[in-house]
């Protein structure tokens, strides 16, 4: 199952988040890795400051149970597929897939 974020204009720079609280229970986030599919559909790490397939990871943060990525750029009318991979303090790993449409506003 994949989730959907509200559309973003290619000229906007906005925060998008994944709330892990329902998954974590008493555990805490120990690490987050963001991925985006590249132009050939391969899941590629999107590190802070990097651009993959036209979308830019400006910054990323963890606040409590919420992982946030600040995104810039993007290709108009393109549907990006992001993956947020979370590791908790007990060593459990989980992933959430989120779609983001770039749409002229």
């Amino acid at each position: 199952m994949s989730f959907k974020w509200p559309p973003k204009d290619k000229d906007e720079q906005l925060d998008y988040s994944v709330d892990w609280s329902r998954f974590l229970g008493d555990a805490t986030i120990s690490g987050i890795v963001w991925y985006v599919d590249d132009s050939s559909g391969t899941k590629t790490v999107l590190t802070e400051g990097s651009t993959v397939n036209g979308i830019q990871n400006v910054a990323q943060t963890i606040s409590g149970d919420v992982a946030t990525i600040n995104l810039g750029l993007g290709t108009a009318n393109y549907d990006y597929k992001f993956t947020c991979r979370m590791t908790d303090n007990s060593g459990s790993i989980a992933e959430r897939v989120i779609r983001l449409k770039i749409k002229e506003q």
Side-chain angles (χ1 to χ4, degrees), residues 1-4 18 20 37 43 80-84 95-99:
M1 176 169 130
S2 67
F3 298 96
K4 219 175 176 182
V18 176
W20 289 97
D37 284 11
K43 188 166 89 171
Y80 286 92
K81 179 180 171 186
F82 289 88
T83 303
C84 181
E95 291 186 345
R96 295 292 179 265
V97 174
I98 313 100
R99 302 254 179 206

Side-chain angles (χ1 to χ4, degrees), residues 7-69:
K8 169 188 154 0
D9 186 281
K10 64 183 180 60
D11 297 321
E12 294 176 322
Q13 182 177 315
L14 299 171
D15 285 339
Y16 293 92
S17 299
V18 176
D19 184 344
W20 289 97
S21 59
R22 293 179 68 196
F23 177 86
L24 287 168
D26 293 333
T28 57
I29 295 174
S30 61
I32 292 288
V33 178
W34 289 97
Y35 299 88
V36 67
D37 284 11
D38 67 15
S39 59
S40 64
T42 303
K43 188 166 89 171
T44 304
V45 174
L46 185 61
T47 57
E48 190 169 321
S50 70
T51 301
V52 174
N53 198 17
I55 194 93
Q56 181 183 32
N57 175 349
V58 177
Q60 59 189 53
T61 59
I62 301 168
S63 179
D65 296 339
V66 178
T68 301
I69 187 168

Side-chain angles (χ1 to χ4, degrees), residues 61-90:
T61 59
I62 301 168
S63 179
D65 296 339
V66 178
T68 301
I69 187 168
N70 183 269
L71 296 171
L73 305 175
T75 302
N77 301 315
Y78 192 84
D79 187 21
Y80 286 92
K81 179 180 171 186
F82 289 88
T83 303
C84 181
R85 180 182 174 115
M86 185 275 308
T87 305
D88 71 18
N89 62 331
S90 71

